[in-house]
Amino acid sequence: MLKKDAFRKKTLASRAARSETAPSALGAAVARQPSPLAQRYGQWQQQLETRWQALPPRDRLALSVLIAFLLLFSVGYGGYTIHSEANKSKTAYNTAVADYFWLRSQAGNIDVNASNNSQAGGKEDAAQGVNDALRQAGVQEAQVAAVGTGVQMSFSNDSQTVVARILGQLQQQGWQFSRLNVQQDPTSKQLQVQATLAR
């Protein structure tokens, strides 16, 4: 038992002596020189740390508060901008979906098979009359179509006064609104008018 302990101590001592005196070839091979970029970064970090330590405590506190404020402002403004754009996109999508379902609900009112040419001519005249009224009011890109016994129209304008004047003129001509939908586009601020007229 004593011989084994003595042999073990002797072996451990010889290993420790070899590791202290002889440098490891593997460690020498693995050791690399740092890249120039890493050296520059290390130097810049040391200079920054030196300058920071050279500042008075009052200046360090003021600089820390300023950096924290700038970080909070940039994060807060970025979050607000993303939230605002998401709301605009959602509103535009909801408007498009509402328009789609409104047009789809009116599909049953469209008379595809006209009974005779006289009825078709009367519908075209009614649609043309509404279209002429819109053009006289300054609306150039209006969509007007004869539907059943009435007329459907859709147009956009950025003036509430113009829209009100157009609707008043159509009522004076004897048109009645069986359906009227006026919405404002949040991006372009234009009023989008969709209406079904009948006499």
Side-chain angles (χ1 to χ4, degrees), residues 48-61:
L48 192 62
E49 193 172 333
T50 304
R51 289 179 181 177
W52 176 262
Q53 295 298 334
L55 288 173
R58 182 178 170 186
D59 291 348
R60 272 190 258 172
L61 179 63

Side-chain angles (χ1 to χ4, degrees), residues 150-172:
V151 174
Q152 280 187 352
M153 70 172 183
S154 175
F155 67 92
S156 298
N157 197 285
D158 56 356
S159 173
Q160 294 180 358
T161 307
V162 172
V163 171
R165 189 173 69 238
I166 291 170
L167 299 179
Q169 286 177 356
L170 291 172
Q171 284 181 335
Q172 288 177 0

Side-chain angles (χ1 to χ4, degrees), residues 111-174:
D111 188 6
V112 179
N113 301 318
S115 57
N116 53 38
N117 292 333
S118 62
Q119 289 180 353
K123 291 176 186 177
E124 289 177 3
D125 290 342
Q128 187 63 37
V130 173
N131 202 6
D132 290 341
L134 292 174
R135 284 184 183 170
Q136 288 174 2
V139 178
Q140 300 297 328
E141 297 180 359
Q143 297 177 354
V144 181
V147 178
T149 59
V151 174
Q152 280 187 352
M153 70 172 183
S154 175
F155 67 92
S156 298
N157 197 285
D158 56 356
S159 173
Q160 294 180 358
T161 307
V162 172
V163 171
R165 189 173 69 238
I166 291 170
L167 299 179
Q169 286 177 356
L170 291 172
Q171 284 181 335
Q172 288 177 0
Q173 293 176 5

Side-chain angles (χ1 to χ4, degrees), residues 75-108:
V75 170
Y77 183 72
Y80 170 76
T81 304
I82 293 172
H83 181 68
S84 177
E85 291 298 324
N87 280 342
K88 286 182 183 177
S89 177
K90 184 179 179 180
T91 304
Y93 172 76
N94 289 338
T95 303
V97 169
D99 291 345
Y100 168 75
F101 281 111
W102 180 78
L103 290 173
R104 187 173 177 181
S105 69
Q106 297 300 318

